[in-house]
Amino acid sequence: MCRLWGALLLLGMLLSPSATSGPVNPCCSFPCQHKGVCVRTGASGYECDCTRTGYYGTDCAVPEFWTRIHDAVRPSPAFYHFILTHFRWFWDVINNTFIRDTLMRLVLTMRANLIPSPPTYNSKYGYLSWESYANLSYFTRVLPPVPTDCPTPMGTKGPSQLPDPKLVAERLLLRRTFRPAPQGTNLMFAFFAQHFTHQIFKTSGKMGHGFTRALGHGVDLGHIYGDNLERQHQLRLFRDGMLKYQIVNGEMYPPSVVDAPVHMIYPAHVPPEARLAVGQEVFGLLPGLMMFATLWLREHNRVCALLKEEHPTWDDEQLFQTARLILIGETIKIVIEDYVQHLSGYYLQLKFDPELLFGAQFQYHNRIAVEFNQLYHWHPLMPDTFRIRGEEYSYEQFIYNTSMLTDYGVEALVEAFSNQRAGQIGGVPNIHRNLLKVAIGVIEESRLLRLQSFNEYRKRFNLKPYTSFQELTGDEETALALEELYGDIDAVEFYPGMLVEKAPPRAIFGESMVEIGAPFSLKGLLGNPICSPEYWKPSTFGGETGFQLVKTTTLRSLVCRNLKATAKEGTAEEEECPYVAFWVPDTALEAESPERKEL
């Protein structure tokens, strides 16, 4: 249906009078540079609004004096990426000095300032409007859509009709041979990424691709507690702040839909008592997602027990709400100091410390953008098969395997996923055939929402646009395929461009994914209200005990203290904890590549 609608939309654009006759909309060529705003005047004229861009002139192309100085001394993203990922001895020194805080503050402010706040455009409006600002049902967007009256879908460049999305995906993105992530990224990382992002990327199927059901627009743990009050109440025990649970083989797991009657997506053959109920309705799809849901369930109930012990007069509601704030803080801490740290490859040790921004201008508000949703489709992470305790499972055996979690137990899955390599995301065709339909859907969605080209987004995030297909890919075969499909480097679409872009050595994807994705991520994490001066204090989290949990939790501590959690204990053992990380053990990497050395 989506493919048919996309074809009809494009056909309508091509056959409409405005597309075939009369003066061409001059804004279709995106003449305004350096974030200048193009405003059409009359039938064929335009003006560029250069306000606060640091540039002036007809197309905002002439730098002001201080802009010229800044541009002359500013290093390229490739340069500082090289510095941050080399010379480990140097960063070992920096990480133990005050310079670490200074650099972290600089990283946060520079990245966050690239995201407009308050939001500007959305899936409907390509100009500033009150609806774009106030209607939280929309995804926001950084660049306005390509005008509907342009000669081509990408404005003025490229073919009058874009290539079939299925053809694009098969030629550019389909895996021929599994390519493992060069940093040793594992399935623990892959499932964490998927489970974490499902709280913020929730396209509303009923309303359309430009709409979201994640009304919190940030880290609210809707994947644990549900995205609405009714679902939350169905998951709560309403005793001591805890969530509902069941005990299987002496351990705590999510309840079934029999006891927590929330809507979950399972195949018809799965009986109700085997359908685990959690905040996100799709988590029954993969055992890895339900594994993380179980860990967070155990952590929530464990934290509630700690709070109850310290605050015996608190009622169920205060225990629940305070535990939720603690888990939000723990999540952000893990994402910045474990997840983003691994993803970046930086030797600078990243730090979650909201106080670093208290002296800077910073808005504690976030909106999820269409572009962030698009670029975060990291399905190349998924391997060809899944290995657990000596058994190998195909996709058909793995998906909707509702008994795998309780049969093996959380510990066995953690051990298995921590030791299996995930795939490289960008720079090589690496999407498994079973998942290719997702990539096709992403491309179709980008056309329905009329996203601008990959090169236009590079310019928006202060990156130089590519001038050739070879420069973009670094691979002759891929460059030829791109040229055949798109004809013009400025017509390459946003998502395909992200995945075909060449990756630096030992990197999991290309420069654009880092430089465009990181600002969205850091703005969303540090823009959370718990990071504001009004919230960031012990009383918010029930006192120093809860505050220290937020400040000290790591991926390993979260997992280890919840492997053997039971309802009766309310705590967990950390003895004999298996290997837990977002990368496979160094010994495994060294065995694969003996020549691998630190620079």
Side-chain angles (χ1 to χ4, degrees):
M1 181 60 74
C2 288
R3 199 172 303 164
L4 176 60
W5 170 244
L8 292 174
L9 179 65
L10 290 174
L11 183 62
M13 289 171 58
L14 293 171
L15 297 180
S16 64
S18 60
T20 57
S21 62
V24 173
N25 181 348
C27 292
C28 288
S29 61
F30 308 111
C32 305
Q33 303 301 301
H34 305 107
K35 304 179 188 177
V37 178
C38 185
V39 180
R40 189 174 186 180
T41 59
S44 58
Y46 73 95
E47 293 178 353
C48 287
D49 185 348
C50 308
T51 304
R52 286 182 291 279
T53 63
Y55 292 81
Y56 64 94
T58 303
D59 296 333
C60 307
V62 183
E64 297 172 356
F65 175 76
W66 288 113
T67 302
R68 193 183 302 273
I69 298 297
H70 179 265
D71 289 348
V73 301
R74 182 180 63 185
S76 69
F79 173 80
Y80 61 71
H81 181 83
F82 178 85
I83 296 298
L84 287 165
T85 55
H86 291 72
F87 316 112
R88 186 166 195 164
W89 60 268
F90 170 77
W91 290 109
D92 286 344
V93 175
I94 294 297
N95 289 332
N96 289 292
T97 69
F98 71 93
I99 300 175
R100 176 195 177 195
D101 285 357
T102 302
L103 292 176
M104 190 66 202
R105 184 183 299 108
L106 186 63
V107 167
L108 293 174
T109 53
M110 288 180 61
R111 297 289 198 191
N113 287 339
L114 288 170
I115 304 301
S117 185
T120 49
Y121 315 108
N122 66 19
S123 53
K124 181 176 181 180
Y125 295 94
Y127 50 88
L128 297 190
S129 67
W130 186 255
E131 191 74 5
S132 294
Y133 166 75
N135 193 335
L136 299 182
S137 297
Y138 287 107
F139 283 108
T140 186
R141 61 196 299 163
V142 172
L143 285 181
V146 177
T148 56
D149 55 354
C150 293
T152 73
M154 288 291 109
T156 59
K157 302 292 183 67
S160 59
Q161 184 171 349
L162 290 169
D164 179 70
K166 185 173 183 291
L167 177 63
V168 172
E170 288 180 343
R171 293 198 61 183
L172 300 175
L173 309 180
L174 177 63
R175 176 182 297 164
R176 278 76 178 178
T177 302
F178 175 69
R179 294 289 294 271
Q183 290 172 264
T185 305
N186 60 21
L187 292 190
M188 198 71 174
F189 177 93
F191 288 125
F192 184 93
Q194 195 170 8
H195 112 277
F196 170 74
T197 56
H198 269 73
Q199 69 187 296
I200 56 179
F201 301 138
K202 299 189 72 174
T203 300
S204 176
K206 292 182 179 179
M207 299 179 69
H209 285 281
F211 295 88
T212 176
R213 292 186 291 117
L215 299 184
H217 282 268
V219 182
D220 61 1
L221 305 195
H223 59 320
I224 300 173
Y225 304 109
D227 58 9
N228 60 75
L229 193 59
E230 180 183 5
R231 189 177 185 94
Q232 178 198 118
H233 284 181
Q234 290 171 325
L235 292 168
R236 285 175 61 177
L237 190 60
F238 287 106
R239 188 182 73 242
D240 298 335
M242 294 197 297
L243 295 169
K244 291 178 181 177
Y245 60 88
Q246 62 175 314
I247 300 298
V248 180
N249 298 325
E251 297 187 19
M252 182 188 298
Y253 289 94
S256 72
V257 296
V258 175
D259 296 318
V262 296
H263 169 64
M264 295 293 295
I265 299 176
Y266 286 99
H269 68 268
V270 179
E273 60 272 14
R275 302 183 182 193
L276 299 183
V278 295
Q280 230 295 353
E281 63 268 24
V282 304
F283 275 10
L285 174 68
L286 297 170
L289 299 179
M290 199 58 78
M291 176 199 72
F292 272 111
T294 301
L295 286 168
W296 285 115
L297 166 70
R298 293 176 180 182
E299 177 69 358
H300 175 90
N301 287 352
R302 189 189 75 87
V303 168
C304 284
L306 292 175
L307 291 172
K308 177 70 173 177
E309 185 176 346
E310 288 203 1
H311 307 284
T313 62
W314 281 12
D315 61 12
D316 168 78
E317 188 67 18
Q318 188 166 5
L319 291 169
F320 170 82
Q321 296 295 349
T322 304
R324 181 172 186 168
L325 291 176
I326 291 173
L327 264 66
I328 288 173
E330 290 179 337
T331 297
I332 297 174
K333 170 76 160 49
I334 291 171
V335 170
I336 291 178
E337 295 194 7
D338 287 310
Y339 178 85
V340 176
Q341 181 75 63
H342 169 70
L343 200 60
S344 69
Y346 292 170
Y347 289 142
L348 168 65
Q349 190 175 341
L350 302 183
K351 183 178 184 180
F352 172 47
D353 183 1
E355 294 184 23
L356 292 174
L357 294 176
F358 283 1
Q361 289 186 337
F362 192 80
Q363 296 194 30
Y364 295 95
H365 179 70
N366 187 59
R367 289 282 294 277
I368 300 301
V370 164
E371 297 94 345
F372 194 30
N373 187 7
Q374 284 258 321
L375 69 82
Y376 227 123
H377 284 79
W378 291 352
H379 292 81
L381 286 167
M382 289 293 104
D384 288 335
T385 58
F386 303 87
R387 299 190 299 271
I388 304 171
R389 293 283 170 93
E391 296 291 330
E392 194 157 1
Y393 295 89
S394 67
Y395 277 79
E396 291 73 20
Q397 295 169 316
F398 193 71
I399 63 172
Y400 291 117
N401 191 330
T402 58
S403 64
M404 180 175 284
L405 174 66
T406 52
D407 286 349
Y408 276 111
V410 172
E411 182 173 354
L413 295 190
V414 167
E415 187 177 30
F417 298 150
S418 292
N419 284 277
Q420 183 173 354
R421 290 280 287 273
Q424 182 169 336
I425 296 172
V428 292
N430 209 20
I431 299 181
H432 191 277
R433 181 168 293 278
N434 285 33
L435 302 172
L436 197 65
K437 61 183 179 182
V438 181
I440 295 170
V442 174
I443 297 171
E444 291 173 338
E445 179 186 68
S446 73
R447 296 180 184 183
L448 287 170
L449 299 177
R450 306 197 310 279
L451 261 66
Q452 293 187 31
S453 72
F454 177 63
N455 257 348
E456 289 300 322
Y457 277 99
R458 281 186 59 84
K459 290 191 286 185
R460 170 59 179 76
F461 284 85
N462 301 326
L463 300 169
K464 290 183 179 180
Y466 287 111
T467 57
S468 71
F469 297 107
Q470 181 68 32
E471 183 188 16
L472 166 61
T473 66
D475 178 77
E476 185 175 351
E477 182 180 349
T478 307
L480 289 173
L482 275 170
E483 186 170 14
E484 183 179 334
L485 291 167
Y486 291 103
D488 192 307
I489 187 65
D490 289 325
V492 175
E493 297 174 90
F494 180 67
Y495 182 65
M498 284 284 182
L499 291 195
V500 302
E501 183 181 32
K502 61 183 179 295
R506 295 189 296 136
I508 197 169
F509 40 48
E511 173 188 62
S512 299
M513 191 77 80
V514 176
E515 299 300 320
I516 297 176
F520 287 117
S521 179
L522 293 176
K523 177 64 173 70
L525 293 168
L526 274 298
N528 194 283
I530 73 159
C531 300
S532 69
E534 290 298 322
Y535 279 66
W536 188 251
K537 49 193 174 185
S539 57
T540 301
F541 308 99
E544 279 297 336
T545 299
F547 204 24
Q548 286 304 311
L549 271 177
V550 172
K551 290 181 175 182
T552 60
T553 291
T554 63
L555 173 71
R556 178 172 175 79
S557 67
L558 169 73
V559 172
C560 292
R561 65 186 177 228
N562 287 295
L563 284 183
K564 303 296 184 183
T566 67
K568 184 177 179 180
E569 294 169 346
T571 58
E573 300 174 5
E574 294 193 32
E575 299 175 2
E576 300 180 1
C577 184
Y579 174 76
V580 181
F582 282 143
W583 58 90
V584 297
D586 289 341
T587 52
L589 286 177
E590 291 168 0
E592 289 183 18
S593 304
E595 73 281 0
R596 184 176 177 266
K597 296 182 183 293
E598 299 289 2
L599 297 179

